[in-house]
Amino acid sequence: MNNRNLKLSVGRCIPICSVLLLLFSGAALGSYKADIGHTALAIELGAAVPSGSGVKVTQAEEDSTNDDPNVVITYSPDPGDAEFAGKNIVDVTATSTAYSGHATAVATFLFGNSQSIAPGITMIDIYLADDWLAAGLLRAGQSGPGPKPQPGISSGRIANHSWVHDSDDDAVDSDTLRRFDWVIERDEFIQIVGVKNSGVTQPLLSTAYNAISVGRTDGVHATGTVSVDAIYTANRTRPDIVAPAGVTSVATPMVAAGAALLIETGHDTPGLSTDPVSVSTINRNGDLIYNAERAETTKSALMAGAERATSNTTAADLSDYRADIANQTDNGLDMRFGAGQLNIYNSYNIIAAGEHNSIEDAASTGGQIGNSGFDYDPSFGGDGGSNNTASYFFSTGADAVRLAASLVWNIKIDGGSMNDFDGAATVYGLDLFLYDMTGAASENDWQLVGSSESQIENSENLWLVLD
């Protein structure tokens, strides 16, 4: 069999996007860390394996006493636990009067010394969820006349939310979601949110566009989004990704820890970011953030790297991905499992392969890309946004391979001014196409192999065999 020459094409107009490409064939090895590809990564990299070092995280938790005013307020992990030796855990809300078993379990998988895949995380802010939503950070749902301030500034790069919420007021939920998505977009403050373990989806926080929503590999969780307003609509795909845990509270920090490894890799290796217009940005906290560690890049690396079929040793297997038409979403995902199960080996190798620019952005390269890599495009469709297409070219060998590609972009929120948050939202649209150019005399002879063309999502995904 001859090599196949292919073109991956992104169409329609949007100012910022991230394209991830991965050709892989992976196998899990044993234990939860092996099930998500970390054991294989540690074997391959040895002492150089990323650990989340230098990445500051936030953990927001609901009061485990259910807000009963007659009992203590409990939302903080137990700093005396051996898993947290050497950690600087700061209770920002500063009202926890006892330690929460739920928060301790979540923290163990987020930054624990032995249980987490990111034991190098040592800087942690803890918030009571109600405070984080309100005065603590988002400043959402404020009533009364007059301007409403923008969300506060955090020095964290990742926040973990192993809780769900519904204010029972669509206007409050709408304001919260817009502020939440704005913080992700403006500050590159990546938010990992769990979906509800069962029943109907809660609007907060998985109905957000820019967050990374997490479910369980067994698929026993709420799916989709609920309608809050004309922008935050129902029936969008959630979760984005799953992890091998019995509850979403544990699956969520598994993914957050994986995100920390990718951020460390992207930040500590500036040469991975090569866009000809801009290789970095600075958030409101003054942090320099490279393209390889931005929110869209991290989300799409996690999604493109996810496994759609697993051989787990610690949880139920994912074996029927998109097998039923009823579970096939328009953006190329499975309505129950999103992109599939976290595989940090695959996702790390996407980031480590570096940024590969489209032919529209870097004509001298011919738009040639390898079998792994990413492109964060701050000026979509060519230098200065000169057109509405980004094109990438690659070839496969004689053997059949599986391709996974994820295109992710943020909803745009108008932040207004410091003392007057606007919140106006724009949802851009993109499509993702794969063409076979093998033996073609002209563009008219290209054969469409696959496409992802959702009208309501902010990700497009391909997962198919090239033989």
Side-chain angles (χ1 to χ4, degrees), residues 12-275:
R12 285 197 276 166
C13 184
I14 184 166
I16 297 176
C17 70
S18 181
V19 178
L20 279 294
L21 171 68
L22 177 66
L23 305 178
F24 66 87
S25 176
L29 302 178
S31 90
Y32 115 78
K33 292 183 180 179
D35 290 345
I36 62 171
H38 185 263
T39 300
L41 185 64
I43 292 172
E44 182 172 293
L45 299 181
V49 67
S51 65
S53 176
V55 180
K56 185 175 182 178
V57 302
T58 291
Q59 180 179 342
E61 289 278 335
E62 287 194 316
D63 178 10
S64 62
T65 59
N66 298 313
D67 297 322
D68 184 340
N70 297 314
V71 296
V72 295
I73 299 174
T74 305
Y75 59 87
S76 178
D78 182 358
D81 192 300
E83 283 288 316
F84 312 138
K87 313 292 184 181
N88 181 24
I89 302 175
V90 177
D91 179 2
V92 179
T93 303
T95 59
S96 189
T97 54
Y99 302 125
S100 162
H102 181 273
T104 298
V106 170
T108 295
F109 286 91
L110 180 58
F111 54 84
N113 287 323
S114 65
Q115 191 65 28
S116 174
I117 64 170
I121 294 173
T122 59
M123 300 174 289
I124 305 100
D125 283 345
I126 305 296
Y127 284 84
L128 175 65
D130 288 348
D131 178 50
W132 192 88
L133 292 170
L137 193 87
L138 290 189
R139 300 168 177 169
Q142 297 185 49
S143 60
K148 306 299 188 297
Q150 287 178 344
I153 299 173
S154 173
S155 58
R157 287 300 321 281
I158 297 172
N160 186 91
H161 303 276
S162 291
W163 50 277
V164 298
H165 185 67
D166 184 352
S167 72
D168 296 320
D169 185 328
D170 285 350
V172 171
D173 290 340
S174 176
D175 179 53
T176 301
L177 291 167
R178 290 161 193 263
R179 290 167 174 273
F180 189 61
D181 276 338
W182 184 77
V183 163
I184 299 170
E185 177 197 10
R186 175 63 186 87
D187 291 338
E188 303 292 340
F189 190 13
I190 298 169
Q191 306 291 316
I192 318 293
V193 306
V195 300
K196 193 177 179 182
N197 278 297
S198 61
V200 179
T201 299
Q202 300 280 56
L204 305 179
L205 294 161
S206 63
T207 297
Y209 280 89
N210 299 344
I212 302 170
S213 61
V214 182
R216 299 155 40 176
T217 299
D218 62 11
V220 183
H221 49 241
T223 61
T225 60
V226 294
S227 179
V228 172
D229 60 24
I231 296 292
Y232 292 91
T233 56
N235 302 318
R236 291 181 286 118
T237 307
R238 293 294 183 276
D240 297 306
I241 194 170
V242 296
V247 290
T248 59
S249 286
V250 171
T252 304
M254 288 181 179
V255 173
L261 269 56
L262 302 185
I263 291 171
E264 176 191 358
T265 302
H267 186 78
D268 289 355
T269 316
L272 296 175
S273 303
T274 62
D275 184 86

Side-chain angles (χ1 to χ4, degrees), residues 14 181 208-211 236 238 240 299 303 331 407-411 427-428 430 454 456-461:
I14 184 166
D181 276 338
Y209 280 89
N210 299 344
R236 291 181 286 118
R238 293 294 183 276
D240 297 306
K299 183 175 181 177
M303 292 176 69
N331 67 333
L407 168 68
V408 170
W409 63 99
N410 281 338
I411 183 177
V427 183
Y428 294 97
L430 277 147
S454 172
I456 62 173
E457 308 279 4
N458 63 323
S459 81
E460 303 286 4
N461 305 270

Side-chain angles (χ1 to χ4, degrees), residues 8-12 19-20 331 390 392 403-407 409 430-435 448 450-454 459-462:
L8 188 67
S9 179
V10 180
R12 285 197 276 166
V19 178
L20 279 294
N331 67 333
Y392 308 84
L403 176 141
S406 291
L407 168 68
W409 63 99
L430 277 147
D431 294 325
L432 183 61
F433 304 93
L434 180 67
Y435 296 95
L448 181 64
S451 65
S452 179
E453 304 175 65
S454 172
S459 81
E460 303 286 4
N461 305 270
L462 295 174

